[in-house]
Short mmCIF file of all heavy atoms in Angstrom, two decimals:
data_model
loop_
_atom_site.label_atom_id
_atom_site.label_comp_id
_atom_site.label_asym_id
_atom_site.label_seq_id
_atom_site.Cartn_x
_atom_site.Cartn_y
_atom_site.Cartn_z
N VAL H 180 43.67 54.32 99.91
CA VAL H 180 42.68 55.40 99.95
C VAL H 180 41.90 55.25 101.26
O VAL H 180 41.39 54.17 101.56
CB VAL H 180 41.71 55.35 98.76
CG1 VAL H 180 40.60 56.37 98.93
CG2 VAL H 180 42.45 55.59 97.45
N LEU H 189 32.24 58.43 98.10
CA LEU H 189 33.58 58.21 97.58
C LEU H 189 33.48 57.42 96.29
O LEU H 189 32.85 56.36 96.26
CB LEU H 189 34.45 57.45 98.58
CG LEU H 189 35.82 56.96 98.07
CD1 LEU H 189 36.70 58.13 97.64
CD2 LEU H 189 36.51 56.12 99.13
N LYS H 190 34.11 57.95 95.24
CA LYS H 190 34.20 57.22 93.98
C LYS H 190 35.68 57.10 93.65
O LYS H 190 36.38 58.11 93.55
CB LYS H 190 33.48 57.95 92.86
CG LYS H 190 33.52 57.20 91.54
CD LYS H 190 32.69 57.89 90.47
CE LYS H 190 32.51 57.02 89.27
NZ LYS H 190 33.57 56.89 88.36
N ALA H 191 36.16 55.87 93.53
CA ALA H 191 37.57 55.61 93.22
C ALA H 191 37.64 54.62 92.07
O ALA H 191 37.07 53.54 92.15
CB ALA H 191 38.28 55.06 94.45
N ASP H 192 38.35 54.99 91.01
CA ASP H 192 38.43 54.12 89.84
C ASP H 192 39.40 52.97 90.03
O ASP H 192 39.05 51.81 89.84
CB ASP H 192 38.80 54.93 88.59
CG ASP H 192 37.72 55.90 88.19
OD1 ASP H 192 36.53 55.65 88.51
OD2 ASP H 192 38.04 56.93 87.57
N GLN H 193 40.65 53.28 90.41
CA GLN H 193 41.69 52.25 90.58
C GLN H 193 42.49 52.56 91.83
O GLN H 193 43.12 53.61 91.93
CB GLN H 193 42.62 52.19 89.38
CG GLN H 193 41.94 51.74 88.11
CD GLN H 193 42.92 51.73 86.93
OE1 GLN H 193 43.85 52.51 86.87
NE2 GLN H 193 42.67 50.83 86.00
N VAL H 194 42.47 51.60 92.78
CA VAL H 194 43.19 51.77 94.03
C VAL H 194 44.30 50.73 94.08
O VAL H 194 44.03 49.53 94.08
CB VAL H 194 42.25 51.62 95.25
CG1 VAL H 194 43.02 51.79 96.55
CG2 VAL H 194 41.10 52.62 95.16
N GLY H 196 46.37 50.06 96.51
CA GLY H 196 46.50 49.43 97.83
C GLY H 196 45.15 49.12 98.41
O GLY H 196 44.23 48.71 97.71
N GLY H 197 45.02 49.39 99.72
CA GLY H 197 43.77 49.12 100.41
C GLY H 197 42.82 50.31 100.35
O GLY H 197 43.22 51.42 100.00
N LEU H 198 41.58 50.05 100.73
CA LEU H 198 40.54 51.09 100.71
C LEU H 198 39.77 51.02 102.01
O LEU H 198 39.25 49.96 102.39
CB LEU H 198 39.60 50.86 99.52
CG LEU H 198 38.37 51.75 99.42
CD1 LEU H 198 38.76 53.21 99.25
CD2 LEU H 198 37.51 51.31 98.24
N THR H 199 39.69 52.17 102.72
CA THR H 199 38.91 52.28 103.94
C THR H 199 37.91 53.41 103.77
O THR H 199 38.29 54.52 103.40
CB THR H 199 39.81 52.57 105.16
OG1 THR H 199 40.78 51.52 105.28
CG2 THR H 199 39.00 52.64 106.44
N PHE H 200 36.63 53.11 104.05
CA PHE H 200 35.57 54.11 103.90
C PHE H 200 34.64 54.02 105.09
O PHE H 200 34.10 52.95 105.39
CB PHE H 200 34.79 53.84 102.60
CG PHE H 200 33.61 54.76 102.38
CD1 PHE H 200 33.80 56.09 102.05
CD2 PHE H 200 32.31 54.28 102.50
CE1 PHE H 200 32.72 56.93 101.82
CE2 PHE H 200 31.22 55.11 102.28
CZ PHE H 200 31.42 56.44 101.94
N ASP H 206 27.69 56.86 99.88
CA ASP H 206 27.92 55.69 99.03
C ASP H 206 29.39 55.54 98.70
O ASP H 206 30.11 56.53 98.56
CB ASP H 206 27.15 55.82 97.71
CG ASP H 206 25.64 55.88 97.90
OD1 ASP H 206 25.14 55.31 98.88
OD2 ASP H 206 24.96 56.50 97.06
N LEU H 207 29.80 54.29 98.55
CA LEU H 207 31.15 53.97 98.07
C LEU H 207 31.00 53.27 96.74
O LEU H 207 30.27 52.29 96.62
CB LEU H 207 31.88 53.05 99.05
CG LEU H 207 33.16 52.38 98.53
CD1 LEU H 207 34.22 53.41 98.18
CD2 LEU H 207 33.68 51.38 99.54
N GLU H 208 31.72 53.78 95.74
CA GLU H 208 31.79 53.12 94.43
C GLU H 208 33.25 53.04 94.03
O GLU H 208 33.91 54.07 93.87
CB GLU H 208 31.00 53.91 93.39
CG GLU H 208 31.00 53.26 92.03
CD GLU H 208 30.26 54.08 90.98
OE1 GLU H 208 29.47 54.97 91.34
OE2 GLU H 208 30.49 53.82 89.79
N ALA H 209 33.76 51.82 93.90
CA ALA H 209 35.16 51.64 93.54
C ALA H 209 35.25 50.67 92.36
O ALA H 209 34.52 49.68 92.32
CB ALA H 209 35.96 51.12 94.72
N GLY H 210 36.16 50.96 91.45
CA GLY H 210 36.36 50.09 90.29
C GLY H 210 37.21 48.89 90.65
O GLY H 210 36.70 47.81 90.94
N VAL H 211 38.53 49.06 90.66
CA VAL H 211 39.46 47.98 90.98
C VAL H 211 40.21 48.35 92.26
O VAL H 211 40.79 49.43 92.35
CB VAL H 211 40.48 47.77 89.84
CG1 VAL H 211 41.50 46.71 90.21
CG2 VAL H 211 39.77 47.41 88.55
N VAL H 212 40.18 47.44 93.24
CA VAL H 212 40.90 47.65 94.50
C VAL H 212 41.85 46.47 94.67
O VAL H 212 41.42 45.33 94.74
CB VAL H 212 39.95 47.74 95.70
CG1 VAL H 212 40.75 48.00 96.97
CG2 VAL H 212 38.92 48.83 95.49
N ASN H 213 43.16 46.75 94.74
CA ASN H 213 44.16 45.69 94.82
C ASN H 213 44.42 45.19 96.24
O ASN H 213 44.95 44.10 96.42
CB ASN H 213 45.47 46.15 94.19
CG ASN H 213 45.34 46.30 92.70
OD1 ASN H 213 44.67 45.52 92.04
ND2 ASN H 213 45.96 47.33 92.16
N GLY H 214 44.05 45.96 97.24
CA GLY H 214 44.29 45.56 98.62
C GLY H 214 43.00 45.31 99.37
O GLY H 214 41.92 45.25 98.78
N PRO H 215 43.09 45.17 100.70
CA PRO H 215 41.90 44.91 101.51
C PRO H 215 40.95 46.11 101.53
O PRO H 215 41.38 47.26 101.42
CB PRO H 215 42.47 44.63 102.90
CG PRO H 215 43.85 45.16 102.90
CD PRO H 215 44.32 45.19 101.48
N VAL H 216 39.67 45.81 101.68
CA VAL H 216 38.63 46.85 101.72
C VAL H 216 37.87 46.76 103.04
O VAL H 216 37.43 45.68 103.43
CB VAL H 216 37.63 46.68 100.56
CG1 VAL H 216 36.49 47.70 100.67
CG2 VAL H 216 38.32 46.78 99.22
N THR H 217 37.74 47.90 103.71
CA THR H 217 36.87 48.03 104.87
C THR H 217 35.92 49.17 104.58
O THR H 217 36.36 50.30 104.34
CB THR H 217 37.66 48.34 106.15
OG1 THR H 217 38.59 47.27 106.39
CG2 THR H 217 36.73 48.47 107.35
N ALA H 218 34.62 48.87 104.55
CA ALA H 218 33.61 49.89 104.26
C ALA H 218 32.50 49.80 105.30
O ALA H 218 31.94 48.74 105.50
CB ALA H 218 33.04 49.69 102.86
N ARG H 219 32.21 50.93 105.95
CA ARG H 219 31.15 50.98 106.94
C ARG H 219 30.32 52.24 106.69
O ARG H 219 30.86 53.35 106.66
CB ARG H 219 31.72 51.05 108.35
CG ARG H 219 32.64 49.91 108.66
CD ARG H 219 32.43 49.36 110.04
NE ARG H 219 33.40 48.38 110.46
CZ ARG H 219 33.66 47.24 109.88
NH1 ARG H 219 33.06 46.92 108.79
NH2 ARG H 219 34.54 46.39 110.36
N THR H 220 29.02 52.05 106.53
CA THR H 220 28.14 53.18 106.37
C THR H 220 26.80 52.87 107.02
O THR H 220 26.33 51.73 106.97
CB THR H 220 27.96 53.57 104.87
OG1 THR H 220 27.07 54.68 104.78
CG2 THR H 220 27.46 52.42 104.04
N GLY H 223 23.84 53.95 103.13
CA GLY H 223 24.54 54.11 101.87
C GLY H 223 24.84 52.77 101.24
O GLY H 223 24.78 51.73 101.90
N ASP H 224 25.16 52.80 99.96
CA ASP H 224 25.48 51.60 99.21
C ASP H 224 26.99 51.44 99.09
O ASP H 224 27.72 52.42 99.06
CB ASP H 224 24.87 51.66 97.81
CG ASP H 224 23.35 51.73 97.83
OD1 ASP H 224 22.74 51.19 98.77
OD2 ASP H 224 22.78 52.31 96.89
N VAL H 225 27.42 50.18 98.97
CA VAL H 225 28.82 49.85 98.74
C VAL H 225 28.89 49.04 97.46
O VAL H 225 28.28 47.98 97.36
CB VAL H 225 29.42 49.04 99.92
CG1 VAL H 225 30.84 48.61 99.61
CG2 VAL H 225 29.36 49.85 101.21
N THR H 226 29.63 49.54 96.46
CA THR H 226 29.76 48.85 95.18
C THR H 226 31.25 48.74 94.84
O THR H 226 31.93 49.76 94.72
CB THR H 226 29.04 49.61 94.05
OG1 THR H 226 27.67 49.81 94.43
CG2 THR H 226 29.09 48.84 92.75
N LEU H 227 31.73 47.50 94.69
CA LEU H 227 33.12 47.25 94.35
C LEU H 227 33.15 46.48 93.03
O LEU H 227 32.64 45.37 92.95
CB LEU H 227 33.80 46.42 95.44
CG LEU H 227 33.75 47.00 96.87
CD1 LEU H 227 34.28 46.00 97.87
CD2 LEU H 227 34.53 48.30 96.93
N GLY H 228 33.77 47.08 92.01
CA GLY H 228 33.86 46.43 90.70
C GLY H 228 34.69 45.16 90.74
O GLY H 228 34.28 44.11 90.26
N VAL H 229 35.89 45.25 91.33
CA VAL H 229 36.78 44.10 91.50
C VAL H 229 37.35 44.18 92.91
O VAL H 229 38.05 45.12 93.25
CB VAL H 229 37.93 44.07 90.48
CG1 VAL H 229 38.83 42.87 90.72
CG2 VAL H 229 37.41 44.06 89.06
N ALA H 230 37.02 43.17 93.72
CA ALA H 230 37.45 43.16 95.11
C ALA H 230 38.90 42.73 95.23
O ALA H 230 39.41 41.98 94.41
CB ALA H 230 36.57 42.19 95.91
N GLY H 231 39.54 43.22 96.29
CA GLY H 231 40.90 42.81 96.59
C GLY H 231 40.94 41.51 97.36
O GLY H 231 40.04 40.67 97.26
N GLN H 232 41.98 41.34 98.17
CA GLN H 232 42.19 40.10 98.90
C GLN H 232 41.15 39.87 99.98
O GLN H 232 40.78 38.75 100.27
CB GLN H 232 43.57 40.12 99.57
CG GLN H 232 44.68 40.44 98.62
CD GLN H 232 45.67 41.42 99.21
OE1 GLN H 232 45.48 41.99 100.27
NE2 GLN H 232 46.76 41.64 98.50
N GLN H 233 40.67 40.94 100.60
CA GLN H 233 39.74 40.80 101.71
C GLN H 233 38.77 41.97 101.67
O GLN H 233 39.17 43.12 101.49
CB GLN H 233 40.49 40.79 103.03
CG GLN H 233 39.58 40.60 104.23
CD GLN H 233 40.37 40.45 105.52
OE1 GLN H 233 41.57 40.23 105.50
NE2 GLN H 233 39.70 40.57 106.63
N VAL H 234 37.49 41.66 101.86
CA VAL H 234 36.46 42.69 101.90
C VAL H 234 35.68 42.53 103.19
O VAL H 234 35.24 41.44 103.53
CB VAL H 234 35.49 42.59 100.70
CG1 VAL H 234 34.35 43.59 100.84
CG2 VAL H 234 36.23 42.80 99.39
N ASN H 235 35.51 43.64 103.90
CA ASN H 235 34.67 43.67 105.09
C ASN H 235 33.76 44.89 104.92
O ASN H 235 34.21 46.02 105.11
CB ASN H 235 35.52 43.77 106.35
CG ASN H 235 34.71 43.51 107.60
OD1 ASN H 235 33.50 43.68 107.61
ND2 ASN H 235 35.39 43.10 108.66
N ALA H 236 32.50 44.66 104.54
CA ALA H 236 31.57 45.75 104.25
C ALA H 236 30.33 45.62 105.12
O ALA H 236 29.74 44.55 105.21
CB ALA H 236 31.18 45.73 102.78
N THR H 237 29.94 46.73 105.76
CA THR H 237 28.77 46.75 106.62
C THR H 237 27.97 48.01 106.36
O THR H 237 28.53 49.10 106.28
CB THR H 237 29.19 46.74 108.11
OG1 THR H 237 30.05 45.63 108.35
CG2 THR H 237 27.98 46.63 109.02
N ASP H 242 22.60 48.71 100.01
CA ASP H 242 22.97 47.50 99.27
C ASP H 242 24.48 47.38 99.16
O ASP H 242 25.20 48.38 99.16
CB ASP H 242 22.38 47.54 97.85
CG ASP H 242 20.85 47.56 97.85
OD1 ASP H 242 20.25 47.02 98.79
OD2 ASP H 242 20.28 48.11 96.91
N ILE H 243 24.94 46.13 99.04
CA ILE H 243 26.36 45.84 98.87
C ILE H 243 26.51 44.96 97.64
O ILE H 243 25.85 43.92 97.53
CB ILE H 243 26.95 45.13 100.10
CG1 ILE H 243 26.79 46.00 101.36
CG2 ILE H 243 28.42 44.76 99.86
CD1 ILE H 243 27.14 45.30 102.66
N VAL H 244 27.36 45.38 96.69
CA VAL H 244 27.65 44.61 95.49
C VAL H 244 29.16 44.48 95.38
O VAL H 244 29.88 45.47 95.43
CB VAL H 244 27.09 45.29 94.22
CG1 VAL H 244 27.46 44.48 92.98
CG2 VAL H 244 25.59 45.47 94.31
N VAL H 245 29.65 43.22 95.23
CA VAL H 245 31.08 42.98 95.15
C VAL H 245 31.38 42.14 93.91
O VAL H 245 30.78 41.08 93.73
CB VAL H 245 31.60 42.24 96.41
CG1 VAL H 245 33.10 41.99 96.30
CG2 VAL H 245 31.27 43.02 97.67
N GLY H 246 32.29 42.62 93.08
CA GLY H 246 32.74 41.87 91.91
C GLY H 246 34.01 41.10 92.23
O GLY H 246 34.87 41.57 92.98
N VAL H 247 34.11 39.89 91.67
CA VAL H 247 35.26 39.01 91.92
C VAL H 247 35.86 38.60 90.58
O VAL H 247 35.13 38.19 89.67
CB VAL H 247 34.83 37.76 92.72
CG1 VAL H 247 35.99 36.81 92.91
CG2 VAL H 247 34.24 38.16 94.06
N SER H 248 37.19 38.68 90.47
CA SER H 248 37.89 38.28 89.24
C SER H 248 37.75 36.79 88.99
O SER H 248 37.72 35.99 89.94
CB SER H 248 39.38 38.62 89.33
OG SER H 248 39.56 40.00 89.38
N LEU H 255 32.81 33.25 101.40
CA LEU H 255 31.74 34.22 101.59
C LEU H 255 31.12 34.11 102.97
O LEU H 255 30.82 33.02 103.44
CB LEU H 255 30.63 34.01 100.55
CG LEU H 255 31.02 34.16 99.08
CD1 LEU H 255 29.83 33.83 98.19
CD2 LEU H 255 31.54 35.56 98.79
N LEU H 257 28.00 36.23 104.26
CA LEU H 257 27.03 37.25 103.90
C LEU H 257 25.83 37.20 104.84
O LEU H 257 25.32 36.13 105.14
CB LEU H 257 26.54 37.04 102.46
CG LEU H 257 27.61 36.83 101.39
CD1 LEU H 257 26.96 36.55 100.04
CD2 LEU H 257 28.56 38.00 101.32
N LEU H 268 28.57 33.56 91.61
CA LEU H 268 29.84 32.89 91.34
C LEU H 268 29.62 31.39 91.20
O LEU H 268 28.74 30.82 91.86
CB LEU H 268 30.83 33.16 92.48
CG LEU H 268 31.16 34.61 92.78
CD1 LEU H 268 32.08 34.69 93.98
CD2 LEU H 268 31.78 35.29 91.57
N SER H 284 40.23 35.22 98.21
CA SER H 284 39.59 36.39 98.79
C SER H 284 38.58 35.96 99.83
O SER H 284 37.93 34.93 99.68
CB SER H 284 38.91 37.20 97.68
OG SER H 284 38.32 38.36 98.20
N THR H 285 38.45 36.76 100.88
CA THR H 285 37.41 36.58 101.88
C THR H 285 36.49 37.78 101.80
O THR H 285 36.96 38.92 101.87
CB THR H 285 38.01 36.48 103.29
OG1 THR H 285 38.87 35.34 103.35
CG2 THR H 285 36.93 36.35 104.35
N ILE H 286 35.21 37.52 101.63
CA ILE H 286 34.24 38.61 101.55
C ILE H 286 33.25 38.45 102.70
O ILE H 286 32.52 37.47 102.77
CB ILE H 286 33.49 38.60 100.21
CG1 ILE H 286 34.48 38.81 99.06
CG2 ILE H 286 32.40 39.67 100.19
CD1 ILE H 286 33.88 38.66 97.68
N LYS H 287 33.28 39.43 103.61
CA LYS H 287 32.33 39.50 104.71
C LYS H 287 31.47 40.73 104.47
O LYS H 287 32.00 41.85 104.39
CB LYS H 287 33.04 39.60 106.06
CG LYS H 287 33.82 38.35 106.42
CD LYS H 287 34.44 38.46 107.78
CE LYS H 287 35.21 37.19 108.11
NZ LYS H 287 35.78 37.24 109.45
N ALA H 288 30.18 40.53 104.31
CA ALA H 288 29.28 41.64 104.04
C ALA H 288 28.02 41.47 104.87
O ALA H 288 27.47 40.38 104.97
CB ALA H 288 28.93 41.69 102.56
N ALA H 289 27.57 42.57 105.48
CA ALA H 289 26.37 42.52 106.32
C ALA H 289 25.57 43.80 106.14
O ALA H 289 26.14 44.89 106.03
CB ALA H 289 26.76 42.35 107.79
N ASP H 294 20.19 44.60 100.23
CA ASP H 294 20.55 43.37 99.53
C ASP H 294 22.06 43.27 99.36
O ASP H 294 22.75 44.29 99.26
CB ASP H 294 19.90 43.33 98.14
CG ASP H 294 18.37 43.36 98.22
OD1 ASP H 294 17.82 42.76 99.15
OD2 ASP H 294 17.76 43.98 97.33
N ILE H 295 22.55 42.03 99.32
CA ILE H 295 23.97 41.77 99.07
C ILE H 295 24.07 40.88 97.85
O ILE H 295 23.38 39.86 97.75
CB ILE H 295 24.64 41.08 100.28
CG1 ILE H 295 24.52 41.97 101.52
CG2 ILE H 295 26.10 40.76 99.97
CD1 ILE H 295 24.95 41.29 102.80
N ARG H 296 24.98 41.26 96.93
CA ARG H 296 25.20 40.47 95.73
C ARG H 296 26.70 40.35 95.47
O ARG H 296 27.41 41.35 95.48
CB ARG H 296 24.52 41.09 94.53
CG ARG H 296 24.71 40.29 93.27
CD ARG H 296 23.96 40.88 92.10
NE ARG H 296 24.17 40.08 90.90
CZ ARG H 296 24.03 40.55 89.69
NH1 ARG H 296 23.64 41.79 89.49
NH2 ARG H 296 24.25 39.76 88.67
N VAL H 297 27.15 39.11 95.24
CA VAL H 297 28.54 38.88 94.84
C VAL H 297 28.46 38.30 93.43
O VAL H 297 27.74 37.36 93.17
CB VAL H 297 29.24 37.89 95.81
CG1 VAL H 297 30.67 37.64 95.35
CG2 VAL H 297 29.21 38.42 97.23
N ARG H 298 29.23 38.89 92.52
CA ARG H 298 29.13 38.52 91.11
C ARG H 298 30.49 38.50 90.45
O ARG H 298 31.43 39.11 90.98
CB ARG H 298 28.21 39.49 90.38
CG ARG H 298 28.72 40.93 90.44
CD ARG H 298 27.95 41.85 89.56
NE ARG H 298 28.35 43.24 89.71
CZ ARG H 298 29.48 43.75 89.29
NH1 ARG H 298 30.37 43.02 88.71
NH2 ARG H 298 29.76 45.02 89.46
N PRO H 299 30.60 37.84 89.32
CA PRO H 299 31.86 37.94 88.56
C PRO H 299 32.10 39.39 88.17
O PRO H 299 31.16 40.12 87.86
CB PRO H 299 31.60 37.07 87.33
CG PRO H 299 30.49 36.15 87.72
CD PRO H 299 29.64 36.93 88.68
N SER H 300 33.36 39.81 88.22
CA SER H 300 33.67 41.20 87.88
C SER H 300 33.43 41.43 86.39
O SER H 300 33.52 40.53 85.57
CB SER H 300 35.11 41.55 88.25
OG SER H 300 35.99 40.81 87.44
N ARG H 301 33.16 42.68 86.08
CA ARG H 301 32.94 43.07 84.69
C ARG H 301 34.16 43.76 84.12
O ARG H 301 34.14 44.25 83.01
CB ARG H 301 31.74 43.99 84.61
CG ARG H 301 30.47 43.29 85.04
CD ARG H 301 29.28 44.18 84.95
NE ARG H 301 28.10 43.46 85.43
CZ ARG H 301 27.07 44.02 85.97
NH1 ARG H 301 27.03 45.31 86.12
NH2 ARG H 301 26.05 43.29 86.37
N VAL H 302 35.20 43.86 84.92
CA VAL H 302 36.43 44.55 84.49
C VAL H 302 37.43 43.55 83.97
O VAL H 302 37.60 42.50 84.47
CB VAL H 302 37.01 45.35 85.67
CG1 VAL H 302 38.30 46.03 85.27
CG2 VAL H 302 36.01 46.36 86.18
#
Side-chain angles (χ1 to χ4, degrees):
V180 172
L189 170 61
K190 182 175 191 282
D192 293 334
Q193 294 179 330
V194 179
L198 173 63
T199 302
F200 177 72
D206 297 331
L207 166 63
E208 181 182 343
V211 177
V212 182
N213 291 322
V216 176
T217 300
R219 304 222 188 300
T220 179
D224 297 331
V225 175
T226 305
L227 304 172
V229 179
Q232 308 137 352
Q233 182 174 346
V234 174
N235 193 336
T237 306
D242 297 331
I243 301 171
V244 178
V245 180
V247 176
S248 294
L255 299 176
L257 311 177
L268 302 176
S284 182
T285 298
I286 298 173
K287 293 183 180 182
D294 299 324
I295 300 171
R296 181 177 180 203
V297 179
R298 60 172 175 71
S300 67
R301 297 180 182 152
V302 178

